Amino acid sequence: GTRAQLSDGMNIFNWVPQNAEVNNTFFDWRIGTEYDLHKDNLLYATLSTGHKAAGFNDTQAFADRPLFNSKYGPKSVYSLELGSKNLLLDRKLRLNASAFYFAYSGMQFQTIVTVGEDDDPTDNNVPPTSAVRQNAKKRTDVFGLDADATYTLPAGLQANLHALLMDARFADGTIVNDNRLNFGAADASVDLGGNWLPRASAFTLNYTLSQLLYTEAGSFDWMIQGQTRGTHYMTVFNGDGTRLV
């Protein structure tokens, strides 16, 4: 690595080239069908694919080693959704519901390689905090139920309730390297099996009350929103940073 310096020789930051390259080409598709039970009721089904490109992590610079760079692969998903859309009670109530299944391959996630301040910026052997992306080698299955209800009240008021139930956990035997535990060691393997995906909750409820007002000066609206959700985690380790395989 090459370091930039001020005129008085004081070091201010690392300057490390990022020379890695990743190329991906994907073909995705979506098919769907629907069946109208009535003018206000329908059933539908969709099947689709999706991809997220591969990438590379920041180059690590060490004084006594060549520049080191790690890459991570693409993420792909098959998505299946079965649902119904309905207008009820003289069209005052809109009720939509669906069940879905996502099958992810190469699930991408981010972890931390080192934690803490760079105590000695002049020493390339002590790198500062950095984030690293990895891929889960096992397929990750996500199941869920989604329901949305909107009811039209007098005076332009509307009440909405949205509920989401989800099971979004890593498969058993999803082994990844967690360098937080043993930076630079040959084996810091952790089993993510049973851990929840980051920011995924078993349940989420969103509720809204809104009103649309028409006046000679124009239209005005206001909205009050709230949310209740279950326990969720910000990292794939679910708050546990001690489990080696």
Side-chain angles (χ1 to χ4, degrees), residues 27-203:
F27 173 77
D28 287 313
W29 48 265
R30 182 179 187 272
I31 59 174
T33 184
E34 71 173 58
Y35 178 72
D36 295 325
L37 298 170
H38 184 266
K39 68 176 183 177
D40 290 336
N41 312 92
L42 68 83
L43 303 174
Y44 70 90
T46 62
L47 178 64
S48 60
T49 64
H51 288 85
K52 185 176 181 180
F56 57 90
N57 296 299
D58 287 346
T59 300
Q60 296 291 315
F62 300 91
D64 55 351
R65 307 178 199 171
L67 294 178
F68 173 76
N69 186 280
S70 60
K71 298 180 181 180
Y72 55 90
K75 177 176 73 173
S76 63
V77 62
Y78 284 93
S79 172
L80 173 65
E81 182 176 353
L82 306 174
S84 177
K85 298 185 178 183
N86 307 273
L87 292 174
L88 305 170
L89 303 179
D90 295 327
R91 296 196 163 193
K92 291 182 179 180
L93 174 63
R94 184 177 70 245
L95 179 62
N96 301 331
S98 65
F100 58 85
Y101 166 62
F102 303 146
Y104 290 97
S105 296
M107 172 66 75
Q108 296 174 357
F109 60 89
Q110 182 170 294
T111 184
I112 302 298
V113 171
T114 56
V115 179
E117 298 293 332
D118 190 358
D119 295 328
D120 186 2
T122 65
D123 186 359
N124 274 338
N125 289 298
V126 185
T129 298
S130 58
V132 170
R133 285 192 175 271
Q134 300 185 55
N135 294 94
K137 292 182 172 59
K138 283 207 168 187
R139 190 182 72 194
T140 304
D141 295 322
V142 175
F143 303 87
L145 298 173
D146 188 289
D148 186 85
T150 301
Y151 189 75
T152 300
L153 299 164
L157 290 164
Q158 272 197 339
N160 174 264
L161 175 64
H162 178 254
L164 174 64
L165 303 177
M166 190 162 53
D167 186 347
R169 287 178 281 188
F170 288 101
D172 290 341
T174 301
I175 309 299
V176 301
N177 194 51
D178 182 6
N179 280 335
R180 301 174 309 161
L181 304 177
N182 202 3
F183 181 71
D187 186 14
S189 298
V190 173
D191 186 356
L192 299 181
N195 284 13
W196 285 82
L197 301 185
R199 295 173 292 280
S201 300
F203 70 90

